[in-house]
Amino acid sequence: MRLVIARCSVDYAGRLTAHLPSAPRLILVKADGSVSIHADDRAYKPLNWMSPPCTLKEGTGEDEGVWTVVNKAGEKLIITMEEILHDSSHELGVDPGLIKDGVEAHLQELLADRIETLGEGYTLIRREYMTAIGPVDILCRDADGQTVAVEIKRRGEIDGVEQLTRYLELLNRDPHLAPVRGVFAAQEIKPQARVLATDRGINCQILDYDAMRGIEDDKLRLF
């Protein structure tokens, strides 16, 4: 991963146009080819980014200090450097992926065994379906035969939706699996995470841990 802190302006040219005026920013260039520009005021979300596959060209001569990032659709992210304050590269190696706690691991096992919890006609392809960026919790097919990627959390928050989004982007490049849609499954899903998931076409599923284990709710019921 390459980390660059620089005073720069950024222009995006594609389906829309966008401009970030000159300011100090963090630029991340990852091993997968992605480039993202970050400010110091919004946690993990970048101001602008280009997802892989894309190419980065650093200008020379008259164009020195101009970075041009182009993706396969021909969209461009043009970063004009005014002053580079820091530039370093680091080998992070292969990430082992998120290690789930006992409840999440058991939820995954239970859902794989009771895949019909997601809907009638669902069939399991496999648990821990490996991708280049980590394992998808569950890969299955719905009643119509469409591939479904399921991300399981004990508590569903925005970072889980972002994680599933990355998996879907990768899986949909595989012609043997595409089109792949997503299901974000958790015992509890935060409102912000639900809004983001819905905006990205990802379904949300609440998992009842006790019901999946076959334990009856001891609360009084009318029916």
Side-chain angles (χ1 to χ4, degrees), residues 80-122:
T80 303
M81 306 288 188
E82 297 173 16
E83 180 184 9
I84 293 179
L85 307 172
H86 175 85
D87 189 347
S88 63
S89 296
H90 308 269
E91 289 290 340
L92 302 185
V94 177
D95 191 271
L98 182 67
I99 299 175
K100 295 184 175 294
D101 65 22
V103 174
E104 287 185 8
H106 199 201
L107 279 171
Q108 182 191 116
E109 182 181 349
L110 287 169
L111 186 57
D113 188 52
R114 298 165 176 80
I115 198 66
E116 67 278 359
T117 301
L118 297 175
E120 186 177 350
Y122 274 69

Short mmCIF file of all heavy atoms in Angstrom, two decimals, residues 80-122:
data_model
loop_
_atom_site.label_atom_id
_atom_site.label_comp_id
_atom_site.label_asym_id
_atom_site.label_seq_id
_atom_site.Cartn_x
_atom_site.Cartn_y
_atom_site.Cartn_z
N THR A 80 -4.14 16.63 -9.04
CA THR A 80 -3.09 17.61 -9.32
C THR A 80 -2.36 17.95 -8.02
O THR A 80 -2.93 18.57 -7.12
CB THR A 80 -3.69 18.89 -9.93
OG1 THR A 80 -4.42 18.54 -11.12
CG2 THR A 80 -2.58 19.87 -10.30
N MET A 81 -1.11 17.49 -7.94
CA MET A 81 -0.31 17.69 -6.73
C MET A 81 0.31 19.09 -6.71
O MET A 81 0.94 19.51 -7.69
CB MET A 81 0.82 16.65 -6.66
CG MET A 81 0.36 15.22 -6.76
SD MET A 81 -0.49 14.71 -5.27
CE MET A 81 -0.67 12.95 -5.62
N GLU A 82 0.17 19.77 -5.60
CA GLU A 82 0.84 21.06 -5.42
C GLU A 82 2.05 20.92 -4.50
O GLU A 82 3.07 21.57 -4.70
CB GLU A 82 -0.15 22.07 -4.84
CG GLU A 82 -1.32 22.35 -5.77
CD GLU A 82 -2.37 23.22 -5.11
OE1 GLU A 82 -2.07 23.84 -4.06
OE2 GLU A 82 -3.50 23.28 -5.62
N GLU A 83 1.90 20.06 -3.49
CA GLU A 83 3.01 19.83 -2.56
C GLU A 83 2.83 18.46 -1.91
O GLU A 83 1.77 18.16 -1.35
CB GLU A 83 3.03 20.91 -1.47
CG GLU A 83 4.15 20.73 -0.46
CD GLU A 83 4.10 21.75 0.65
OE1 GLU A 83 3.09 22.50 0.73
OE2 GLU A 83 5.05 21.79 1.46
N ILE A 84 3.84 17.61 -2.01
CA ILE A 84 3.79 16.30 -1.38
C ILE A 84 4.46 16.39 -0.01
O ILE A 84 5.63 16.74 0.11
CB ILE A 84 4.46 15.23 -2.26
CG1 ILE A 84 3.66 15.03 -3.56
CG2 ILE A 84 4.57 13.90 -1.50
CD1 ILE A 84 4.24 14.01 -4.51
N LEU A 85 3.69 16.06 1.03
CA LEU A 85 4.18 16.16 2.40
C LEU A 85 4.72 14.83 2.92
O LEU A 85 5.56 14.80 3.83
CB LEU A 85 3.06 16.66 3.32
CG LEU A 85 2.38 17.96 2.87
CD1 LEU A 85 1.16 18.25 3.73
CD2 LEU A 85 3.37 19.11 2.93
N HIS A 86 4.22 13.75 2.36
CA HIS A 86 4.65 12.41 2.78
C HIS A 86 4.37 11.43 1.67
O HIS A 86 3.32 11.50 1.01
CB HIS A 86 3.92 11.99 4.06
CG HIS A 86 4.22 10.58 4.49
ND1 HIS A 86 5.32 10.26 5.26
CD2 HIS A 86 3.58 9.41 4.24
CE1 HIS A 86 5.33 8.97 5.49
NE2 HIS A 86 4.30 8.42 4.88
N ASP A 87 5.29 10.49 1.44
CA ASP A 87 5.11 9.47 0.41
C ASP A 87 5.84 8.21 0.85
O ASP A 87 7.06 8.19 0.94
CB ASP A 87 5.65 9.96 -0.93
CG ASP A 87 5.29 9.02 -2.09
OD1 ASP A 87 4.84 7.90 -1.84
OD2 ASP A 87 5.46 9.44 -3.26
N SER A 88 5.08 7.16 1.20
CA SER A 88 5.72 5.93 1.65
C SER A 88 4.92 4.73 1.16
O SER A 88 3.72 4.81 0.89
CB SER A 88 5.81 5.88 3.19
OG SER A 88 4.52 5.88 3.77
N SER A 89 5.61 3.59 1.03
CA SER A 89 4.97 2.35 0.59
C SER A 89 5.21 1.27 1.64
O SER A 89 6.28 1.22 2.26
CB SER A 89 5.53 1.89 -0.76
OG SER A 89 5.23 2.83 -1.77
N HIS A 90 4.21 0.41 1.82
CA HIS A 90 4.29 -0.62 2.86
C HIS A 90 3.70 -1.92 2.32
O HIS A 90 2.63 -1.92 1.70
CB HIS A 90 3.52 -0.19 4.11
CG HIS A 90 3.91 1.16 4.62
ND1 HIS A 90 4.91 1.35 5.55
CD2 HIS A 90 3.45 2.40 4.31
CE1 HIS A 90 5.04 2.65 5.80
NE2 HIS A 90 4.16 3.30 5.05
N GLU A 91 4.40 -3.04 2.56
CA GLU A 91 3.89 -4.35 2.17
C GLU A 91 3.06 -4.91 3.32
O GLU A 91 3.59 -5.21 4.40
CB GLU A 91 5.06 -5.30 1.85
CG GLU A 91 5.80 -4.98 0.56
CD GLU A 91 4.96 -5.27 -0.68
OE1 GLU A 91 3.99 -6.06 -0.57
OE2 GLU A 91 5.27 -4.71 -1.75
N LEU A 92 1.76 -5.03 3.11
CA LEU A 92 0.88 -5.55 4.16
C LEU A 92 0.68 -7.06 4.07
O LEU A 92 0.26 -7.69 5.04
CB LEU A 92 -0.48 -4.85 4.10
CG LEU A 92 -0.47 -3.32 4.22
CD1 LEU A 92 -1.89 -2.79 4.27
CD2 LEU A 92 0.31 -2.87 5.44
N GLY A 93 0.98 -7.65 2.91
CA GLY A 93 0.78 -9.08 2.74
C GLY A 93 -0.69 -9.44 2.59
O GLY A 93 -1.56 -8.58 2.49
N VAL A 94 -0.97 -10.73 2.59
CA VAL A 94 -2.33 -11.23 2.41
C VAL A 94 -3.07 -11.10 3.73
O VAL A 94 -2.61 -11.57 4.77
CB VAL A 94 -2.33 -12.70 1.96
CG1 VAL A 94 -3.76 -13.22 1.84
CG2 VAL A 94 -1.60 -12.83 0.62
N ASP A 95 -4.21 -10.44 3.69
CA ASP A 95 -4.99 -10.25 4.91
C ASP A 95 -5.71 -11.55 5.27
O ASP A 95 -6.31 -12.20 4.40
CB ASP A 95 -6.02 -9.14 4.69
CG ASP A 95 -6.68 -8.73 6.00
OD1 ASP A 95 -7.71 -9.33 6.35
OD2 ASP A 95 -6.15 -7.81 6.65
N PRO A 96 -5.66 -11.96 6.53
CA PRO A 96 -6.31 -13.21 6.93
C PRO A 96 -7.82 -13.12 6.96
O PRO A 96 -8.51 -14.13 7.11
CB PRO A 96 -5.76 -13.46 8.34
CG PRO A 96 -5.42 -12.10 8.86
CD PRO A 96 -4.96 -11.32 7.65
N GLY A 97 -8.36 -11.90 6.81
CA GLY A 97 -9.80 -11.72 6.85
C GLY A 97 -10.29 -11.54 8.27
O GLY A 97 -9.57 -11.76 9.25
N LEU A 98 -11.54 -11.16 8.38
CA LEU A 98 -12.14 -10.92 9.68
C LEU A 98 -12.38 -12.23 10.41
O LEU A 98 -12.94 -13.17 9.86
CB LEU A 98 -13.47 -10.19 9.50
CG LEU A 98 -14.23 -9.80 10.76
CD1 LEU A 98 -13.45 -8.73 11.53
CD2 LEU A 98 -15.61 -9.31 10.42
N ILE A 99 -11.91 -12.31 11.65
CA ILE A 99 -12.15 -13.49 12.47
C ILE A 99 -13.42 -13.25 13.27
O ILE A 99 -13.48 -12.33 14.10
CB ILE A 99 -10.95 -13.77 13.41
CG1 ILE A 99 -9.69 -14.04 12.57
CG2 ILE A 99 -11.25 -14.95 14.31
CD1 ILE A 99 -8.44 -14.21 13.40
N LYS A 100 -14.41 -14.05 13.04
CA LYS A 100 -15.70 -13.82 13.67
C LYS A 100 -15.70 -14.36 15.10
O LYS A 100 -14.98 -15.30 15.42
CB LYS A 100 -16.80 -14.51 12.86
CG LYS A 100 -16.97 -13.91 11.48
CD LYS A 100 -18.13 -14.53 10.75
CE LYS A 100 -18.36 -13.84 9.43
NZ LYS A 100 -18.80 -12.45 9.61
N ASP A 101 -16.51 -13.74 15.95
CA ASP A 101 -16.64 -14.26 17.31
C ASP A 101 -17.52 -15.51 17.29
O ASP A 101 -18.04 -15.92 16.26
CB ASP A 101 -17.19 -13.20 18.27
CG ASP A 101 -18.62 -12.78 17.94
OD1 ASP A 101 -19.34 -13.55 17.28
OD2 ASP A 101 -19.01 -11.67 18.36
N GLY A 102 -17.66 -16.13 18.45
CA GLY A 102 -18.36 -17.41 18.50
C GLY A 102 -19.79 -17.34 18.02
O GLY A 102 -20.27 -18.24 17.34
N VAL A 103 -20.49 -16.25 18.35
CA VAL A 103 -21.89 -16.13 17.94
C VAL A 103 -22.00 -16.01 16.43
O VAL A 103 -22.83 -16.67 15.80
CB VAL A 103 -22.56 -14.92 18.63
CG1 VAL A 103 -23.96 -14.70 18.09
CG2 VAL A 103 -22.61 -15.13 20.14
N GLU A 104 -21.15 -15.17 15.81
CA GLU A 104 -21.21 -15.01 14.36
C GLU A 104 -20.87 -16.32 13.65
O GLU A 104 -21.51 -16.68 12.66
CB GLU A 104 -20.27 -13.89 13.91
CG GLU A 104 -20.77 -12.51 14.27
CD GLU A 104 -19.87 -11.41 13.72
OE1 GLU A 104 -18.96 -11.72 12.94
OE2 GLU A 104 -20.08 -10.24 14.09
N ALA A 105 -19.86 -17.02 14.16
CA ALA A 105 -19.47 -18.29 13.55
C ALA A 105 -20.62 -19.30 13.66
O ALA A 105 -20.90 -20.05 12.72
CB ALA A 105 -18.22 -18.83 14.23
N HIS A 106 -21.30 -19.31 14.81
CA HIS A 106 -22.41 -20.24 14.99
C HIS A 106 -23.61 -19.84 14.14
O HIS A 106 -24.31 -20.70 13.59
CB HIS A 106 -22.81 -20.30 16.47
CG HIS A 106 -23.61 -21.52 16.82
ND1 HIS A 106 -24.42 -21.59 17.93
CD2 HIS A 106 -23.75 -22.72 16.18
CE1 HIS A 106 -25.02 -22.77 17.96
NE2 HIS A 106 -24.63 -23.48 16.92
N LEU A 107 -23.85 -18.54 14.01
CA LEU A 107 -24.91 -18.07 13.12
C LEU A 107 -24.67 -18.53 11.69
O LEU A 107 -25.60 -18.96 10.99
CB LEU A 107 -25.00 -16.54 13.16
CG LEU A 107 -25.74 -15.91 14.33
CD1 LEU A 107 -25.52 -14.39 14.33
CD2 LEU A 107 -27.23 -16.22 14.28
N GLN A 108 -23.42 -18.44 11.26
CA GLN A 108 -23.08 -18.87 9.90
C GLN A 108 -23.36 -20.36 9.74
O GLN A 108 -23.95 -20.80 8.74
CB GLN A 108 -21.60 -18.59 9.62
CG GLN A 108 -21.18 -18.97 8.21
CD GLN A 108 -19.68 -18.93 8.04
OE1 GLN A 108 -19.06 -19.96 7.79
NE2 GLN A 108 -19.08 -17.76 8.18
N GLU A 109 -22.96 -21.15 10.73
CA GLU A 109 -23.17 -22.59 10.68
C GLU A 109 -24.66 -22.93 10.67
O GLU A 109 -25.12 -23.77 9.88
CB GLU A 109 -22.50 -23.23 11.89
CG GLU A 109 -22.61 -24.74 11.94
CD GLU A 109 -21.94 -25.33 13.17
OE1 GLU A 109 -21.20 -24.59 13.86
OE2 GLU A 109 -22.16 -26.52 13.44
N LEU A 110 -25.42 -22.25 11.53
CA LEU A 110 -26.86 -22.50 11.60
C LEU A 110 -27.57 -22.10 10.31
O LEU A 110 -28.43 -22.84 9.80
CB LEU A 110 -27.46 -21.72 12.77
CG LEU A 110 -27.17 -22.23 14.17
CD1 LEU A 110 -27.61 -21.20 15.20
CD2 LEU A 110 -27.87 -23.56 14.42
N LEU A 111 -27.20 -20.93 9.76
CA LEU A 111 -27.87 -20.47 8.54
C LEU A 111 -27.54 -21.37 7.36
O LEU A 111 -28.40 -21.64 6.52
CB LEU A 111 -27.46 -19.03 8.23
CG LEU A 111 -28.21 -18.36 7.07
CD1 LEU A 111 -29.71 -18.38 7.29
CD2 LEU A 111 -27.72 -16.93 6.87
N ALA A 112 -26.30 -21.85 7.29
CA ALA A 112 -25.93 -22.78 6.21
C ALA A 112 -26.74 -24.06 6.31
O ALA A 112 -27.15 -24.64 5.29
CB ALA A 112 -24.44 -23.07 6.27
N ASP A 113 -27.00 -24.50 7.55
CA ASP A 113 -27.75 -25.73 7.76
C ASP A 113 -29.24 -25.51 7.54
O ASP A 113 -29.98 -26.45 7.21
CB ASP A 113 -27.51 -26.24 9.19
CG ASP A 113 -28.10 -27.61 9.42
OD1 ASP A 113 -27.82 -28.53 8.63
OD2 ASP A 113 -28.88 -27.76 10.39
N ARG A 114 -29.70 -24.25 7.74
CA ARG A 114 -31.12 -23.91 7.57
C ARG A 114 -31.24 -22.79 6.55
O ARG A 114 -31.80 -21.74 6.83
CB ARG A 114 -31.72 -23.49 8.92
CG ARG A 114 -31.69 -24.59 9.98
CD ARG A 114 -31.94 -24.03 11.37
NE ARG A 114 -32.01 -25.06 12.38
CZ ARG A 114 -30.96 -25.65 12.93
NH1 ARG A 114 -29.73 -25.31 12.54
NH2 ARG A 114 -31.11 -26.59 13.85
N ILE A 115 -30.70 -23.03 5.37
CA ILE A 115 -30.61 -21.99 4.35
C ILE A 115 -31.99 -21.50 3.92
O ILE A 115 -32.15 -20.37 3.43
CB ILE A 115 -29.81 -22.49 3.13
CG1 ILE A 115 -29.31 -21.31 2.28
CG2 ILE A 115 -30.59 -23.50 2.32
CD1 ILE A 115 -28.31 -20.43 2.97
N GLU A 116 -33.02 -22.32 4.15
CA GLU A 116 -34.38 -21.91 3.80
C GLU A 116 -34.87 -20.75 4.66
O GLU A 116 -35.93 -20.16 4.37
CB GLU A 116 -35.34 -23.10 3.93
CG GLU A 116 -35.57 -23.60 5.34
CD GLU A 116 -34.48 -24.55 5.84
OE1 GLU A 116 -33.54 -24.82 5.06
OE2 GLU A 116 -34.59 -25.00 6.98
N THR A 117 -34.11 -20.42 5.71
CA THR A 117 -34.43 -19.23 6.51
C THR A 117 -34.46 -17.98 5.62
O THR A 117 -35.23 -17.04 5.87
CB THR A 117 -33.38 -19.03 7.63
OG1 THR A 117 -33.37 -20.19 8.46
CG2 THR A 117 -33.68 -17.81 8.48
N LEU A 118 -33.64 -17.96 4.58
CA LEU A 118 -33.58 -16.82 3.67
C LEU A 118 -34.77 -16.78 2.72
O LEU A 118 -35.06 -15.73 2.14
CB LEU A 118 -32.28 -16.85 2.87
CG LEU A 118 -30.98 -16.74 3.68
CD1 LEU A 118 -29.77 -16.90 2.76
CD2 LEU A 118 -30.92 -15.41 4.42
N GLY A 119 -35.42 -17.91 2.54
CA GLY A 119 -36.56 -17.96 1.62
C GLY A 119 -36.75 -19.36 1.08
O GLY A 119 -35.81 -20.17 1.01
N GLU A 120 -37.94 -19.65 0.66
CA GLU A 120 -38.25 -20.97 0.11
C GLU A 120 -37.49 -21.17 -1.19
O GLU A 120 -37.42 -20.28 -2.04
CB GLU A 120 -39.75 -21.07 -0.13
CG GLU A 120 -40.20 -22.46 -0.56
CD GLU A 120 -41.70 -22.57 -0.74
OE1 GLU A 120 -42.41 -21.60 -0.34
OE2 GLU A 120 -42.18 -23.59 -1.27
N GLY A 121 -36.91 -22.35 -1.34
CA GLY A 121 -36.21 -22.70 -2.58
C GLY A 121 -34.74 -22.35 -2.60
O GLY A 121 -34.06 -22.60 -3.60
N TYR A 122 -34.22 -21.79 -1.51
CA TYR A 122 -32.80 -21.47 -1.46
C TYR A 122 -31.98 -22.76 -1.31
O TYR A 122 -32.38 -23.68 -0.59
CB TYR A 122 -32.48 -20.54 -0.28
CG TYR A 122 -32.66 -19.08 -0.58
CD1 TYR A 122 -33.92 -18.53 -0.80
CD2 TYR A 122 -31.56 -18.22 -0.65
CE1 TYR A 122 -34.09 -17.19 -1.07
CE2 TYR A 122 -31.71 -16.88 -0.92
CZ TYR A 122 -32.98 -16.37 -1.13
OH TYR A 122 -33.13 -15.03 -1.40
#
